[in-house]
Amino acid sequence: MKVALPTAQSVAEAAQLLRDGKLVAFPTETVYGLGGDATNERAVAAIFEAKGRPEFNPLISHVLDAAAAQKLVRWNETADRLAARFWPGPLTLVLPRSPGSPISLLATAGLDTVAIRAPSHPVAQALIRATDRPIAAPSANRSGAISPTRAEHVVESLGERVPLILDGGPCLVGVESTVLDLSTATPTLLRPGGATREAIEAVIGPIAVSDALPSGDSARKSPGQLESHYAPARPVRLGASSVGADEGLLAFGPTVPPGAMLTYNLSPSGDLAEAAANLFAQMRLLDRPGIGRIAVMPIPETGLGLAINDRLRRAAAGDGTGRRG
Ligand code: TXA
Ligand code: MG
């Protein structure tokens, strides 16, 4: 495994690896991705293997722009308006696979839809351009673990399973892209993320929200059914207004309860964008020996708070064994 700063040379080397069916970890504005050639079944199989994903969850294919996306999916007018506003950026669109689409069947887990996004990170863009193929990339962590927002996190999680990691520094958004299904009559939010629901609705009007989300009613009735993702090894307690001496505290805002063993503040000023950018790195810092439990202060359920709370609920639903994701 090699970690390289992004230069013309390292990006060209990474592109060659991808074209040869090998894997490369690279920065995006959301989280680091574990990339493989999305048109190569064996490369995509290698992604699942490296992540230790127990099942074939469909992957996002990364492209440069809407023109490239239109070669892979059946594009529509809603997609056009959203891409004009959000691409490149943290919005993934799910659209029907177009006839003759070169995307690997394994990448879409046999579904007749394809998830696609154009990342805004310059290193991701340079890599896609140099590879000249769509790149399938889930977050570059072992299944069920916390998503990586720095190259060091990828090294810790995947190590020798990935031949080359491009180190583009910390990810600025910090939570994964918003996944929006446009293959149904009403656009449906499948995963809250870096593009806020409010901003999406400002462009295309009201959207539906998948009731499989942990904030959905069905999930609230049976929290044991929640998919465990982003799982730290320690238990996570949400909505903490006070804290125990054996707890590490993930704080938010200016007023922090005293007494925690260790405290990190997602955003002392209460800024949700700053909190999203710090979320995964601070969860990792609190997930360490000596700390019995991670307590998390309440985060407002607006804007990026939707994505932050979604990840926190999944972390709290975990049993510490990192079974899924
Ligand atoms: O920000 C991100 O999206 C990062 C960076 C690397 O781009 N990638 C990422 O990938 O988070 P991953 O594999 O961890 O999450 C992909 C999400 C999953 O929730 C998956 O179920 C959904 O996208 N997805 C992929 N293809 C889909 C499809 N055809 N239909 C519905 N959901 C799909
Ligand atoms: Mg992931």
Side-chain angles (χ1 to χ4, degrees), residues 37-52:
D37 177 353
T39 67
N40 178 336
E41 298 286 352
R42 294 184 59 171
V44 172
I47 294 176
F48 286 110
E49 192 180 24
K51 277 186 71 83

Side-chain angles (χ1 to χ4, degrees), residues 91-270:
L91 177 64
T92 294
L93 302 176
V94 174
L95 287 154
R97 172 186 280 274
S98 59
S101 174
I103 296 294
S104 140
L105 294 172
L106 188 52
T108 58
L111 297 173
D112 53 12
T113 51
V114 177
I116 198 149
R117 93 171 180 100
S120 64
H121 197 294
V123 175
Q125 292 180 346
L127 184 61
I128 296 166
R129 193 174 289 117
T131 308
D132 198 24
R133 300 196 186 154
I135 299 177
S139 49
N141 53 276
R142 291 282 285 172
S143 180
I146 300 170
S147 291
T149 53
R150 292 169 179 265
E152 305 88 272
H153 300 160
V154 182
V155 175
E156 284 164 26
S157 197
L158 293 175
E160 296 303 325
R161 294 184 180 89
V162 52
L164 178 61
I165 301 170
L166 292 176
D167 181 356
C171 300
L172 289 181
V173 176
V175 289
E176 296 87 342
S177 63
T178 301
V179 180
L180 187 67
D181 190 351
L182 297 184
S183 71
T184 49
T186 308
T188 304
L189 184 69
L190 299 181
R191 177 177 74 180
T196 66
R197 176 181 183 176
E198 293 89 333
I200 291 169
E201 291 189 325
V203 177
I204 59 168
I207 60 174
V209 176
S210 165
D211 61 8
L213 292 179
S215 56
D217 279 346
S218 55
R220 211 170 341 199
K221 279 180 207 131
S222 52
Q225 299 300 97
L226 285 189
E227 217 180 333
S228 150
H229 271 248
Y230 315 97
R234 276 143 205 81
V236 174
R237 178 170 74 89
L238 302 181
S241 51
S242 62
V243 64
D246 64 330
E247 289 183 318
L249 179 65
L250 194 57
F252 178 81
T255 315
V256 178
M261 180 169 268
L262 178 65
T263 298
Y264 286 99
N265 198 326
L266 290 169
S267 173
S269 68

